[in-house]
């Protein structure tokens, strides 16, 4: 029956596209007893059991959910409910090809929140992605078909911070104070809720929300639905919608958006300032990588190095050996924290072949120039992005800003928070990328110096 239904929908392109369901693997993390399994059962089956049975092995639930997104009304979700205590080697196998994560903490336990960052770090340290090496039919070993590599998106993976047992917190508050309003903050939030939000913002979680799996109040469903919808909008946004957004912004369709618009004007202005730094970091990093590859290609084409065993050290050593003679030698000139490489000739009439001239020009005028720019500009960019992120954090804590969003639109603030935290994660990722590029440039200089000593 499934095939018959599918064939009917193929007449409508939009229906056919919806039939190809987006799929997400979501892992649920947290200490034992915080309520991970209860959250999953409430969301998938809308049920709750008061009996506590510790999860001793991973539980996997597959479900198709309807989301309020044009052209992507359905999404296939695979939830992995992980034990609170597990061997780290097993966690590595669980964290393969993960699309998102939910870190669960117990609001009724003051110590539980401090473990959220630990679980986030465990996830990022062990995330891997699977690459298909050879899908040709035949008898092959698993390692000949698939390859696991460290996940490139570990700094930007969406992670929801979910505080459970909110019903217990409310009861404890009422019992201890007699009037729960008396212990709430000026913005009508219980202290544990405010602490949860501040913690999530401080450690760059995609969003944070307090829920109750015991009470059928819809809080679990609402929190996860908004989180999944945010991921799907980011990952599977229709091309037409992107083009419309670009037209509204007056930008060319070839320019990829870096940040989503949160709707909080003063915060979006800060992200706009950060965008200029990020685009410069991205363009310089890309040009540096491309020029280094071009240098490698020139060395290989000139038969100085083997294309299968090519590196910066090998190229420099090969150049030194080739031009080592009584009349010529390779010379390094250090300037602006990096270097150039030139040929020093004892006789003025020595003419270098054009292929070797191109090697030196590629290194000095392209690769060396880009590295010098990175070393000169990136420290300032890193500092600027830190200042911008600090200002955004202050704006996020502005109660008046939050209250304006909450008025008559209870979902707007959570959605804006998810967008803001995702944008802040991009800033952090770019800062790490810039720092890595600086370290890589310093390492490259040391490699060149060492190579010239050989």
């Amino acid at each position: 029956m499934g095939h018959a239904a599918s064939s009917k929908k193929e007449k409508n392109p939009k229906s056919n596209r919806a039939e190809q369901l987006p799929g997400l693997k979501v892992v649920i993390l947290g200490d034992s007893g915080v309520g991970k399994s209860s959250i999953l059962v409430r969301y998938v089956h809308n049920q709750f059991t008061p009996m506590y049975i510790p999860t001793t092995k991973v539980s996997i639930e597959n479900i198709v959910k309807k989301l309020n997104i044009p052209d992507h009304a359905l999404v296939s979700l695979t939830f992995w409910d992980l034990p609170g205590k597990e061997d780290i080697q097993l966690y590595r196998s669980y964290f393969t090809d993960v699309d998102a994560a939910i870190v669960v903490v117990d609001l009724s336990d003051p110590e539980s929140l401090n473990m959220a960052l630990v679980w986030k770090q465990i996830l990022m340290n062990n995330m891997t992605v699977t690459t298909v090496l050879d899908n040709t039919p035949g008898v092959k070993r698993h390692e000949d078909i698939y390859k696991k590599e460290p996940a490139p998106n570990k700094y930007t993976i969406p992670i929801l911070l979910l505080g459970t047992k909110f019903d217990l917190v409310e009861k404890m508050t009422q019992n201890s104070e007699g009037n729960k309003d008396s212990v709430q903050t000026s913005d009508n939030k219980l202290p544990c809720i405010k602490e949860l939000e501040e913690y999530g913002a401080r450690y760059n979680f995609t969003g944070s929300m307090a829920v109750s799996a015991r009470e059928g109040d819809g809080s679990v469903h609402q929190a996860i639905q908004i989180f999944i919808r945010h991921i799907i909008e980011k990952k599977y946004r229709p091309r037409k919608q992107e083009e419309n957004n670009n037209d509204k912004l007056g930008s060319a369709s070839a320019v990829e958006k870096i940040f989503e618009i949160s709707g909080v004007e003063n915060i979006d202005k800060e992200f706009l300032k950060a965008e200029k730094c990020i685009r410069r970091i991205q363009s310089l990093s890309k040009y540096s990588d491309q020029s280094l590859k071009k240098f490698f290609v020139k060395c290989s084409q000139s038969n100085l190095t083997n294309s299968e065993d090519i590196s910066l050290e090998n190229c420099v050593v090969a150049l030194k050996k080739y031009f080592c003679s009584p009349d010529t030698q390779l010379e390094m000139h250090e300037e602006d924290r990096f270097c150039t490489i030139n040929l020093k000739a004892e006789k003025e009439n020595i003419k270098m072949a054009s292929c070797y001239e191109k090697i030196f020009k590629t290194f000095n005028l392209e690769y060396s120039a880009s590295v010098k720019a990175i070393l000169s500009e990136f420290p300032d960019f890193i500092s600027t992005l830190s200042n911008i992120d600090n200002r955004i954090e202050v704006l996020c804590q502005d109660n008046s800003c939050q209250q304006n969003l909450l008025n008559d639109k209870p979902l707007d603030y959570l959605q804006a928070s998810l967008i803001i935290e995702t944008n802040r994660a991009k800033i952090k990722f770019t800062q790490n990328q810039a720092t890595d590029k600086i370290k890589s440039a310093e390492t490259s200089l040391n490699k060149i110096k060492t190579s010239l000593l050989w």
Side-chain angles (χ1 to χ4, degrees):
M1 288 192 299
H3 289 293
S6 177
S7 62
K8 288 180 182 178
K9 291 189 176 183
E10 286 178 357
K11 295 179 182 179
N12 187 333
K14 289 188 176 182
S15 297
N16 187 43
R17 184 162 63 241
E19 194 74 7
Q20 302 170 1
L21 299 184
L24 297 178
K25 175 181 176 180
V26 183
V27 293
I28 304 178
L29 311 171
D31 288 350
S32 298
V34 295
K36 301 187 297 297
S37 299
S38 296
I39 289 294
L40 183 57
V41 171
R42 173 60 75 183
Y43 181 70
V44 176
H45 305 290
N46 197 24
Q47 296 175 355
F48 175 80
T49 174
M51 184 180 298
Y52 172 60
I53 303 175
T55 301
T56 57
K57 61 181 181 179
V58 64
S59 173
I60 302 175
E61 288 273 6
N62 293 291
I63 185 174
V64 173
K65 277 287 186 179
K66 185 176 181 180
L67 299 173
N68 186 22
I69 302 175
D71 292 333
H72 286 297
L74 299 175
V75 57
S76 175
L77 302 173
T78 303
F79 288 99
W80 289 51
D81 177 16
L82 305 187
K85 295 179 180 179
E86 189 64 280
D87 184 85
I88 196 67
Q89 295 297 331
L90 290 177
Y91 278 129
R92 288 178 183 144
S93 65
Y94 301 152
F95 296 155
T96 300
D97 299 324
V98 173
D99 296 294
I102 299 175
V103 175
V104 182
V105 297
D106 183 353
L107 291 175
S108 65
D109 179 4
E111 300 298 323
S112 179
L113 184 59
N114 295 327
M115 288 300 296
L117 184 60
V118 175
W119 283 107
K120 181 180 179 182
Q121 200 62 48
I122 289 174
L123 171 67
M124 293 195 299
N125 289 347
N126 295 280
M127 282 176 59
T128 58
V129 292
T130 304
T131 303
V132 179
L133 298 177
D134 185 4
N135 57 3
T136 306
V139 179
K140 297 182 181 70
R141 295 176 303 172
H142 186 274
E143 56 266 29
D144 294 331
I145 302 174
Y146 302 103
K147 177 184 178 183
K148 284 187 179 181
E149 300 176 315
N153 67 326
K154 66 179 182 179
Y155 292 113
T156 57
I157 181 174
I159 303 177
L160 175 65
L161 179 59
L162 211 56
T164 61
K165 306 182 183 180
F166 182 58
D167 54 298
L168 292 181
V169 174
E170 286 189 312
K171 288 180 180 179
M172 287 189 297
T173 302
Q174 292 173 4
N175 293 336
S176 62
E177 298 292 335
N179 180 4
K180 70 176 183 178
D181 292 334
S182 64
V183 296
Q184 289 180 328
T185 57
S186 58
D187 52 0
N188 295 321
K189 292 180 183 177
L190 291 173
C192 66
I193 306 300
K194 196 171 183 65
E195 186 180 1
L196 181 76
E197 292 177 353
E198 290 175 351
Y199 189 95
R202 187 184 314 126
Y203 295 110
N204 293 322
F205 283 84
T206 305
S208 56
M209 192 168 181
V211 299
S212 170
R214 178 187 292 271
E215 304 294 331
D217 57 2
S219 59
V220 172
H221 184 270
Q222 182 187 72
I224 298 180
Q225 284 288 97
I226 291 175
F227 179 54
I228 298 299
R229 184 165 67 239
H230 168 75
I231 300 168
I232 293 296
E233 285 176 340
K234 295 284 292 180
K235 193 171 184 180
Y236 296 99
R237 180 185 294 105
R239 183 178 299 175
K240 184 175 181 180
Q241 183 179 342
E242 287 184 346
E243 291 173 353
N244 290 339
N245 289 341
N246 285 332
D247 290 340
K248 291 177 182 179
L249 293 172
S251 59
S253 58
V255 178
E256 184 180 355
K257 285 171 55 180
I258 293 177
F259 296 119
E260 289 297 308
I261 297 174
S262 70
V264 186
E265 186 178 358
N266 51 358
I267 292 180
D268 286 334
K269 286 181 179 179
E270 295 295 335
F271 284 128
L272 189 62
K273 296 174 185 176
E275 188 169 329
K276 296 177 181 178
C277 295
I278 290 176
R279 289 200 185 281
R280 178 61 175 168
I281 289 172
Q282 290 177 343
S283 62
L284 262 180
S285 299
K286 183 177 180 181
Y287 181 71
S288 179
D289 292 341
Q290 289 176 341
S291 59
L292 182 59
K293 289 179 181 178
K294 185 177 177 181
F295 174 67
F296 290 162
V297 170
K298 296 293 182 185
C299 290
S300 178
Q301 290 174 343
S302 302
N303 296 320
L304 285 173
T305 57
N306 186 335
S307 59
E308 296 180 357
D309 185 27
I310 199 164
S311 65
L312 183 58
E313 307 97 291
N314 289 347
C315 288
V316 175
V317 169
L319 282 169
K320 181 184 177 183
K321 288 182 178 179
Y322 185 83
F323 289 106
C324 182
S325 72
D327 298 324
T328 60
Q329 61 179 349
L330 205 61
E331 185 178 65
M332 183 192 84
H333 178 60
E334 193 169 350
E335 59 183 10
D336 298 332
R337 298 172 60 192
F338 201 62
C339 67
T340 55
I341 298 176
N342 297 287
L343 183 65
K344 183 179 180 181
E346 297 295 334
K347 298 179 180 179
E348 294 182 359
N349 60 349
I350 292 179
K351 178 68 174 176
M352 195 173 13
S354 61
C355 62
Y356 301 116
E357 286 183 348
K358 292 178 181 178
I359 290 175
F360 286 107
K361 284 183 179 179
T362 300
F363 183 91
N364 294 331
L365 300 182
E366 296 183 35
Y367 177 61
S368 177
S370 65
V371 172
K372 290 175 183 177
I374 286 173
L375 292 170
S376 172
E377 298 180 28
F378 278 18
D380 290 337
F381 287 146
I382 293 171
S383 176
T384 299
L385 290 174
S386 293
N387 292 335
I388 290 173
D389 188 60
N390 290 337
R391 290 199 296 271
I392 291 172
E393 183 173 5
V394 171
L395 291 171
C396 287
Q397 295 172 352
D398 182 1
N399 292 335
S400 62
C401 168
Q402 296 180 8
Q403 194 61 43
N404 288 337
L405 284 168
L406 283 168
N407 288 338
D408 301 324
K409 295 181 180 180
L411 295 182
D412 283 358
Y413 172 58
L414 180 58
Q415 183 66 16
S417 297
L418 291 172
I419 292 173
I420 290 168
E421 291 311 312
T422 301
N423 288 349
R424 291 183 68 189
K426 291 179 181 178
I427 291 177
K428 184 64 177 176
F429 175 77
T430 306
Q431 286 179 292
N432 293 333
Q433 185 185 44
T435 301
D436 289 343
K437 280 294 178 184
I438 293 173
K439 292 179 180 177
S440 177
E442 294 169 346
T443 301
S444 295
L445 179 60
N446 291 330
K447 286 180 179 179
I448 294 169
K449 290 179 177 179
T450 303
S451 301
L452 290 174
L453 294 174
W454 290 356

